[in-house]
Amino acid sequence: KDKPTEKELEILGPMVREETMKRYSYYSVEWYEWVKWDEEKGRKVKYRVTAGDDFPIFMHDCGAFKKIYKPLEQEKGHRFAMLGEKTPDYINGLDELRRAYQEHAKNVEAEEEAAYDEKKTPDTGRAKKSGKIPEAVICSGERDALNCAGMGYHVLWMNSETSTLKKKQYDEIMRMVDTLYNIPDIDKTGVRKGRELALQYPEIHTLELPEKLREE
């Protein structure tokens, strides 16, 4: 679709705006199709899933592959679908963080040069500004990440709850940000994975969601 409807944005969450979706290459989809071999019919059969007012379909453009997301799909195992071959160890939001870091570093460098030109002499007593982004947040899934991004944060999220953050990826992220936060999900898997990540990388700041959310 050209743009998401107000109802679709509402389903994604109260902080998600059209510009949030654009920023993270998220799109509202009218329908998608796939073809598979039907043994009983002895031929290929085309299947189509069509969106509706109460059944939105979204697509995240991840470059080499596309990720279909149906947030209101009753069967959790069918909530996601992949188009194309998934990039190994892909982290959602990492490409956006790289671009934001480059822009931020460029702006900091320009500010430093302007300050130097104004004084015409280097200020040896002034601490040089960091070229890093102040903070980024690891979220547990699509909607959490998009709502957090809608609040102005730089967000990252894995392709599944069981995916792990590799040391090489962690090092790259920390070269771009001063502080990295993790907001794990409140279910058993989320709590366990959050604890594992905190023990693996002690520098990450873990934020715990309030227990009352279990009742809502």
Side-chain angles (χ1 to χ4, degrees):
K1 298 179 182 179
D2 292 333
K3 57 187 297 185
T5 64
E6 288 300 319
K7 181 68 178 293
E8 288 170 334
L9 291 172
E10 181 183 330
I11 288 172
L12 284 176
M15 304 307 297
V16 183
R17 303 290 182 267
E18 183 181 350
E19 52 268 28
T20 312
M21 294 181 65
K22 286 182 179 178
R23 178 181 168 192
Y24 284 90
S25 301
Y26 241 86
Y27 301 92
S28 179
V29 174
E30 292 183 3
W31 53 265
Y32 72 96
E33 292 179 341
W34 75 97
V35 177
K36 65 179 293 187
W37 180 262
D38 188 309
E39 290 289 348
E40 186 175 329
K41 295 180 179 179
R43 59 181 174 85
K44 292 180 179 179
V45 177
K46 181 187 292 185
Y47 298 88
R48 173 181 286 203
V49 178
T50 303
D53 291 339
D54 297 314
F55 189 78
I57 301 174
F58 301 100
M59 186 271 287
H60 184 200
D61 188 349
C62 303
F65 68 98
K66 322 297 177 191
K67 188 175 183 182
I68 298 293
Y69 177 42
K70 298 171 287 183
L72 301 187
E73 170 63 57
Q74 294 299 310
E75 295 187 42
K76 193 173 181 179
H78 295 160
R79 200 164 290 170
F80 294 96
M82 295 289 181
L83 301 177
E85 187 173 349
K86 184 174 73 171
T87 304
D89 302 324
Y90 183 84
I91 298 180
N92 299 282
L94 185 54
D95 286 339
E96 288 80 4
L97 183 64
R98 288 170 179 150
R99 289 194 289 270
Y101 166 70
Q102 291 172 356
E103 185 65 26
H104 178 76
K106 188 190 304 179
N107 291 338
V108 169
E109 184 178 354
E111 290 175 7
E112 293 289 332
E113 290 179 356
Y116 176 84
D117 291 341
E118 183 180 346
K119 294 187 175 183
K120 303 298 182 182
T121 179
D123 185 353
T124 55
R126 181 170 58 86
K128 188 175 182 180
K129 289 184 178 180
S130 168
K132 292 184 177 183
I133 290 173
E135 58 196 5
V137 183
I138 300 175
C139 298
S140 62
E142 318 287 318
R143 281 197 279 186
D144 287 355
L146 290 173
N147 278 275
C148 196
M151 296 170 69
Y153 294 98
H154 299 281
V155 297
L156 303 161
W157 70 103
M158 312 300 285
N159 261 329
S160 71
E161 275 190 319
T162 56
S163 297
T164 57
L165 180 63
K166 303 293 190 295
K167 180 64 165 58
K168 182 178 180 181
Q169 296 170 323
Y170 172 75
D171 289 342
E172 180 188 1
I173 293 168
M174 295 312 298
R175 283 194 294 270
M176 296 187 287
V177 304
D178 282 319
T179 306
L180 181 61
Y181 296 94
N182 180 39
I183 309 179
D185 205 346
I186 201 169
D187 61 13
K188 286 185 177 180
T189 302
V191 172
R192 176 174 56 82
K193 296 299 293 185
R195 184 181 295 114
E196 289 175 0
L197 190 63
L199 292 172
Q200 184 177 5
Y201 305 113
E203 296 83 3
I204 291 180
H205 296 243
T206 303
L207 306 181
E208 295 184 3
L209 295 172
E211 285 291 322
K212 66 179 183 180
L213 289 179
R214 294 179 183 272
E215 303 169 6
E216 297 180 1

